[in-house]
Amino acid sequence: MTDSQIGAFPYPRTCPLQPPKEYSSLRAEQPISKITLASGRTAWLLTRHEHIRQLLASPDVSSNMAHPGYPLHFDIPAEVMEQMRPVMLAMDPPVHTAQRRMVIPEFTVKRVLQLRPRIQEIVDECVTAMLAAEGPVDLVEALALPVPSLAISELLGVPYADRAFFQDCSKKIVSIDTDPQERNQAHQDLQAYFAELITAKEADPGDDLLSRLVVKNRETGTLDHDGLVGMANVLLVGGFETTANMISLGVVGLLENPDQLAKLTADPALAPQAVDELLRYFSIADQVTSRVMTADIEIGGVLIRAGEGVIGLSASGNFDEAVYSDPDRLDIDRGGKHHLAFGHGIHQCIGQNLAKMELEVVFTTLFARIPGLKLAAPVAELPFKDSMGVYGLHKLPVTC
């Protein structure tokens, strides 16, 4: 592969069921290569599983987007960057460590299991509505968006009376059909909403995640009011869009692999490993592993110097032939728990237990209650979105 080909990054997907075709060529021929981003910045691109894990486990990397060497895809003016309040995903220890400790207890396996009955109710309500509809149903609108939206709103403690506003803003933020100005307004509206909600919970805490953070913060002083608002926004985005994308693509993946779907429906106990395989297969957030080096480090025999940006392509690592035999095949018996869909290291996704549980409930319930579910359009015609490595489907027409 030539340097000019390497420079044309990011690579577009030509099929929603496969990573860009360039990934396999890079893994084989140039697993660590230099690219130029649209921002004009250069970065190292990692495509092999072991190299990506080494990067993410290293103490000599930073997630600080304000660092001049950070691999930003688009140039952000310095004055804008100065006004941007850092969020947990773009923080380094010890600040990142302190904030992460505040929310980890909310996403343990035990805490998530307590939420499962309510998630089951939400999924059942959505599926019932799908069955009652006439003609093709857009599974994105009917199931993929409302399930994680309702789940995260209940977890955060959004009052029931505010659900419609909350979900409307959430949908506008993640929908491609939203006008950019309207999307920006939705961001501002949601920010203002969380500011008021945090104020209310500071005055009268309840039994929900945000209230518990408020109470805990009184003891630790880790966050100020704006920090709590920012945390609420991070949890919303992290717990909503990627899970919604995974639901719709996971359904397509199972329908396009009827032998694997048959295994799952015959034995729902396979759901946890099926979800892990689907996460490996789709790797919804491909480039959240962007980092900048804080010291020289050698990866795969290549010296990457302090101040240089690095991007680890999780979707490429999850198709690494050295780790997964026949990686292009969806195989729910694979048991590939070491996939990179949730990242690795200190920034590994906090909400992975919640996301896995939601996906297990969705897939087992959907196909048990609608065994004749079919795509209402060929896969090649499905409108999929791909924005800087975060991708999904805009619409998914199905017949029930």
Side-chain angles (χ1 to χ4, degrees):
M1 184 171 288
T2 66
D3 289 341
S4 61
Q5 288 174 304
I6 292 174
F9 185 83
Y11 307 116
R13 293 176 185 265
T14 57
C15 172
L17 300 184
Q18 295 289 327
K21 63 183 184 302
E22 290 86 355
Y23 287 7
S24 60
S25 299
L26 284 173
R27 280 196 307 275
E29 301 169 16
Q30 293 177 273
I32 302 176
S33 53
K34 205 70 172 287
I35 56 168
T36 300
L37 302 168
S39 61
R41 297 187 181 189
T42 59
W44 292 97
L45 198 65
L46 309 185
T47 56
R48 289 184 181 171
H49 190 278
E50 65 171 314
H51 298 158
I52 298 169
R53 282 176 63 93
Q54 181 185 346
L55 169 75
L56 300 180
S58 173
D60 299 320
V61 300
S62 171
S63 298
N64 182 9
M65 294 174 60
H67 191 288
Y70 187 88
L72 290 172
H73 285 268
F74 300 102
D75 191 37
I76 300 177
E79 59 272 17
V80 174
M81 185 67 77
E82 291 175 2
Q83 295 173 2
M84 291 173 60
R85 186 182 181 92
V87 296
M88 189 166 57
L89 295 175
M91 290 178 177
D92 299 323
V95 178
H96 168 265
T97 308
Q99 292 200 12
R100 189 176 173 93
R101 281 184 184 145
M102 290 189 68
V103 292
I104 281 180
E106 300 294 335
F107 295 97
T108 61
V109 173
K110 181 179 179 180
R111 179 61 62 85
V112 165
L113 284 176
Q114 295 172 351
L115 298 172
R116 187 166 187 134
R118 179 56 186 142
I119 301 301
Q120 183 67 63
E121 291 178 357
I122 292 172
V123 174
D124 279 328
E125 291 168 2
C126 291
V127 173
T128 296
M130 288 176 63
L131 287 166
E134 296 182 4
V137 175
D138 179 6
L139 189 137
V140 171
E141 285 292 326
L143 185 69
L145 288 176
V147 168
S149 175
L150 286 168
I152 197 65
S153 63
E154 292 210 2
L155 182 65
L156 294 178
V158 173
Y160 188 83
D162 298 340
R163 296 285 170 83
F165 164 80
F166 182 85
Q167 290 182 71
D168 181 59
C169 286
S170 300
K171 289 180 181 179
K172 287 178 180 177
I173 289 172
V174 302
S175 174
I176 190 173
D177 296 326
T178 305
D179 178 82
Q181 187 172 354
E182 188 178 11
R183 182 182 290 108
N184 184 55
Q185 186 61 52
H187 271 294
Q188 294 180 20
D189 290 345
L190 205 53
Q191 185 85 1
Y193 173 80
F194 275 130
E196 292 184 8
L197 184 61
I198 293 294
T199 298
K201 293 183 183 298
E202 286 172 335
D204 184 22
D207 184 22
D208 55 71
L209 188 154
L210 291 182
S211 292
R212 289 189 288 272
L213 284 182
V214 165
V215 172
K216 185 182 296 186
N217 195 57
R218 289 173 180 169
E219 302 171 0
T220 64
T222 303
L223 299 166
D224 57 16
H225 177 82
D226 289 342
L228 286 167
V229 172
M231 179 71 77
N233 269 298
V234 167
L235 294 175
L236 165 66
V237 175
F240 178 33
E241 182 179 11
T242 51
T243 304
N245 291 342
M246 193 63 222
I247 288 173
S248 57
L249 284 170
V251 168
V252 175
L254 289 169
L255 288 175
E256 287 295 290
N257 292 271
D259 59 327
Q260 301 303 304
L261 177 56
K263 288 181 183 180
L264 177 60
T265 54
D267 185 5
L270 295 175
Q273 65 192 59
V275 165
D276 266 318
E277 172 65 354
L278 287 165
L279 286 162
R280 178 200 72 83
Y281 195 74
F282 289 109
S283 305
I284 297 300
D286 188 14
Q287 297 167 40
V288 294
T289 51
S290 298
R291 301 289 189 269
V292 60
M293 305 309 303
T294 58
D296 292 357
I297 182 174
E298 185 175 301
I299 299 179
V302 176
L303 178 64
I304 302 178
R305 298 190 179 280
E308 293 185 324
V310 189
I311 300 174
L313 296 175
S314 59
S316 177
N318 283 338
F319 274 64
D320 191 336
E321 298 82 355
V323 180
Y324 305 104
S325 61
D326 196 7
D328 292 341
R329 179 171 58 89
L330 183 70
D331 180 6
I332 68 173
D333 293 324
R334 189 185 301 275
K337 289 188 176 181
H338 298 297
H339 62 73
L340 299 166
F342 291 119
H344 181 63
I346 65 170
H347 282 281
Q348 191 171 36
C349 177
I350 290 176
Q352 61 181 287
N353 292 324
L354 176 61
K356 286 183 178 182
M357 183 267 285
E358 290 181 30
L359 294 171
E360 289 174 22
V361 173
V362 166
F363 297 142
T364 54
T365 303
L366 178 66
F367 291 109
R369 292 190 58 190
I370 313 180
L373 188 76
K374 295 180 180 179
L375 296 178
V379 171
E381 296 179 8
L382 295 177
F384 67 96
K385 53 186 176 181
D386 186 1
S387 176
M388 289 182 292
V390 178
Y391 79 109
L393 292 169
H394 299 308
K395 299 181 186 299
L396 178 55
V398 296
T399 56
C400 300

